Amino acid sequence: MASTNGFLESTSPSNTRWKILIALLCVLVLGLYTFLPQNTAKTDPQSPQFFSQAMQKFKTAFYCEATGVAIETDNSIPTCTEPVTKVVFIKTHKTASTTLASIIERYGYTRNLSFALGNTDHVLADQDIFTRSIVEKSPPPLRGDKRVYDMLTNHARYNRPEMDAVVPNARYITILREPSKQLESAFSYFRMAHSLKIDNHPNALQLFMKNPRKYMAEKFFFWWQGRNGQIFDLGLDHVHHDDVYTVDYKIRQLEHEMDLVLITEHIDESLILLRNVFCWDMDDILYISNNIRSKKLRYKVSDTLRNKMLDWNADDVKLYQHFNRTLWRKVAEYGPRFQQDLQEFRNRQREVMSQCVELDKKAIVQNDLEERYVLKENTSSLCENLWRGDKTFTTLLREKQTRGRVLSVPST
């Protein structure tokens, strides 16, 4: 029996051609499966049984039983041989992105890496797409004369060619949150009800969702976060949000261009994958949550209201479901050591939280918008760096790059 590179076996040329055709059909079916929406409950597993099943399901090859043809596939996670120091983080709104930005900024700050920064605050481009001209007045990098940097972590709408020009040869990551939770958080945090003059209503979010197109036409403060805010941050303008083909194309583009998409609801699992992709140490991914929204700024969301929000944010739902499936596929590909690494990380996380902050105390900051853990007195430099948020790190990085000195910064 003849063999061709171990992929196809046949007893005659005609059988080989027939099997190739059927094999191509299998590939097509697999591709359609990847992009078709699936039940989130089935792709958002919590039980340990999922992992043993997933390990069996996602191999480096799949088998088309109709023909007896085995087809090799590449499900590998991007890997590295040394720690990654070139990173672009697409900072989506109200997704725990400030906490993730702080992790990356801490890594860069303690290793004297250079960041592409804006003139004053931690926002480069909220509504407009990113262009390299936005960072023309950024403090120069600590090394070299060219205006190229190691990292970009501040808010900036995704634009790959322009970002590549500023941070060449970078790994790209972003983070997504369940869309109804993200919309509720954005609606309250950006005080959209106040801008729309409906904040006297007992549930302004519910009122907004009765006729969202009417309110969106008013172009209120942060209106672009009122619908599909996450795919908007990732570069898709609102004019395309009702175009199914364009949305699907955008998701396929992101699948190709992002090295990792983290999921807010599974942040610890996501960070283990990040550590693997970046070749970082366990302590590099530790965190103390930042920008915790005040309990005063939360709306009651019934099942009916949540379903309306999901329908209204259908593009973000499709985006989230796609990359939630991708996350769990990558967990399966990680191998049986994943659970051990996850437990080690969570144990270490509990240690530093107990060591660094008053667990039963939070301070109200940012005009009652946020709560923050209170740092213990006389704590270590590691705790101080873990506690620092995106805004603080941006200020420190700007000062360091403005002075133009490479400092020796303690990380522990």
Side-chain angles (χ1 to χ4, degrees):
M1 184 175 291
S3 174
T4 306
N5 295 328
F7 298 146
L8 305 173
E9 292 187 354
S10 174
T11 55
S12 70
S14 60
N15 281 341
T16 299
R17 286 193 296 270
W18 178 78
K19 288 189 176 184
I20 290 174
L21 288 173
I22 300 301
L24 290 174
L25 179 61
C26 290
V27 173
L28 177 61
V29 170
L30 182 67
L32 289 172
Y33 173 82
T34 301
F35 294 108
L36 284 173
Q38 296 182 20
N39 187 333
T40 305
K42 294 180 180 178
T43 57
D44 187 16
Q46 299 296 320
S47 65
Q49 289 86 347
F50 164 78
F51 293 98
S52 60
Q53 296 169 1
M55 298 303 174
Q56 298 301 319
K57 183 175 182 181
F58 292 102
K59 300 291 187 180
T60 56
F62 74 91
Y63 187 77
C64 186
E65 293 183 359
T67 63
V69 176
I71 303 171
E72 288 195 350
T73 60
D74 183 8
N75 292 320
S76 60
I77 305 172
T79 56
C80 51
T81 55
E82 58 185 22
V84 169
T85 57
K86 291 276 193 176
V87 178
V88 174
F89 169 45
I90 309 303
K91 191 172 187 281
T92 49
H93 287 84
K94 310 315 299 174
T95 58
S97 62
T98 294
T99 297
L100 182 52
S102 300
I103 291 172
I104 302 165
E105 288 158 356
R106 182 179 78 242
Y107 186 92
Y109 179 70
T110 57
R111 289 162 178 81
N112 289 309
L113 301 178
S114 298
F115 286 71
L117 304 168
N119 290 331
T120 54
D121 61 13
H122 66 301
V123 177
L124 294 172
D126 253 339
Q127 186 176 357
D128 298 326
I129 206 79
F130 178 85
T131 62
R132 70 189 79 180
S133 63
I134 291 172
V135 296
E136 280 181 353
K137 296 183 180 179
S138 173
L142 294 169
R143 300 176 181 85
D145 298 325
K146 294 182 179 180
R147 286 282 176 164
V148 293
Y149 298 85
D150 300 307
M151 294 185 168
L152 190 158
T153 55
N154 289 165
H155 276 299
R157 284 190 68 209
Y158 183 55
N159 182 356
R160 184 60 177 259
E162 291 293 292
M163 290 175 167
D164 279 345
V166 175
V167 188
N169 305 312
R171 291 290 180 98
Y172 279 73
I173 64 170
T174 191
I175 185 168
L176 300 174
R177 185 180 184 183
E178 194 278 327
S180 67
K181 294 177 183 176
Q182 189 272 342
L183 176 58
E184 186 272 330
S185 181
F187 190 88
S188 62
Y189 186 83
F190 297 123
R191 298 185 184 257
M192 295 181 184
H194 177 74
S195 299
L196 291 166
K197 297 181 172 56
I198 58 173
D199 48 335
N200 60 344
H201 191 276
N203 191 331
L205 178 59
Q206 187 175 45
L207 180 62
F208 173 82
M209 285 308 306
K210 285 184 177 179
N211 194 349
R213 290 187 186 275
K214 167 193 150 185
Y215 291 112
M216 287 289 285
E218 297 186 27
K219 299 293 188 289
F220 50 89
F221 180 65
F222 265 84
W223 67 270
W224 55 88
Q225 284 296 312
R227 186 189 188 198
N228 296 316
Q230 297 175 88
I231 204 167
F232 177 82
D233 286 338
L234 290 166
L236 189 67
D237 288 332
H238 282 92
V239 68
H240 302 299
H241 287 195
D242 291 317
D243 184 338
V244 174
Y245 173 82
T246 303
V247 171
D248 288 347
Y249 181 84
K250 181 65 178 180
I251 293 173
R252 291 195 297 272
Q253 178 192 49
L254 293 169
E255 171 74 24
H256 175 70
E257 295 180 354
M258 289 290 155
D259 291 283
L260 182 66
V261 176
L262 293 84
I263 297 294
T264 306
E265 286 75 19
H266 309 293
I267 186 64
D268 289 354
E269 291 88 347
S270 297
L271 286 172
I272 293 297
L273 295 177
L274 177 73
R275 170 179 171 263
N276 190 57
V277 171
F278 283 4
C279 284
W280 287 4
D281 294 331
M282 195 68 80
D283 277 11
D284 294 330
I285 59 171
L286 295 171
Y287 64 91
I288 295 174
S289 296
N290 282 291
N291 273 26
I292 304 170
R293 188 165 40 118
S294 170
K295 291 181 174 61
K296 299 177 182 177
L297 296 175
R298 297 175 190 268
Y299 288 97
K300 184 177 180 180
V301 179
S302 66
D303 289 343
T304 300
L305 179 57
R306 188 174 303 282
N307 288 334
K308 286 182 179 179
M309 294 164 72
L310 293 174
D311 287 342
W312 174 240
N313 288 272
D315 298 348
D316 271 1
V317 169
K318 185 178 289 189
L319 177 76
Y320 177 85
Q321 287 182 338
H322 177 87
F323 284 106
N324 189 45
R325 291 194 295 269
T326 301
L327 175 83
W328 293 109
R329 190 188 75 225
K330 289 180 184 294
V331 168
E333 293 161 4
Y334 191 102
R337 186 176 172 79
F338 183 87
Q339 284 297 309
Q340 181 180 339
D341 288 349
L342 179 62
Q343 190 59 52
E344 178 187 345
F345 171 63
R346 286 176 169 165
N347 290 342
R348 181 73 177 117
Q349 184 73 18
R350 282 190 289 270
E351 287 176 12
V352 297
M353 287 294 289
S354 177
Q355 171 189 341
C356 296
V357 299
E358 304 288 352
L359 294 173
D360 58 348
K361 186 188 300 183
K362 290 191 180 78
I364 305 298
V365 296
Q366 193 76 3
N367 297 323
D368 290 343
L369 291 176
E370 301 169 9
E371 298 177 354
R372 287 204 69 179
Y373 284 104
V374 176
L375 198 63
K376 287 184 175 180
E377 294 183 2
N378 302 316
T379 190
S380 66
S381 58
L382 170 63
C383 291
E384 290 178 355
N385 281 330
L386 284 169
W387 183 81
R388 285 170 171 159
D390 179 31
K391 293 179 183 179
T392 303
F393 269 123
T394 298
T395 300
L396 291 171
L397 290 162
R398 184 179 290 110
E399 290 173 353
K400 185 199 287 194
Q401 288 175 214
T402 299
R403 290 195 303 267
R405 288 188 291 132
V406 177
L407 305 178
S408 176
V409 183
S411 59
T412 58

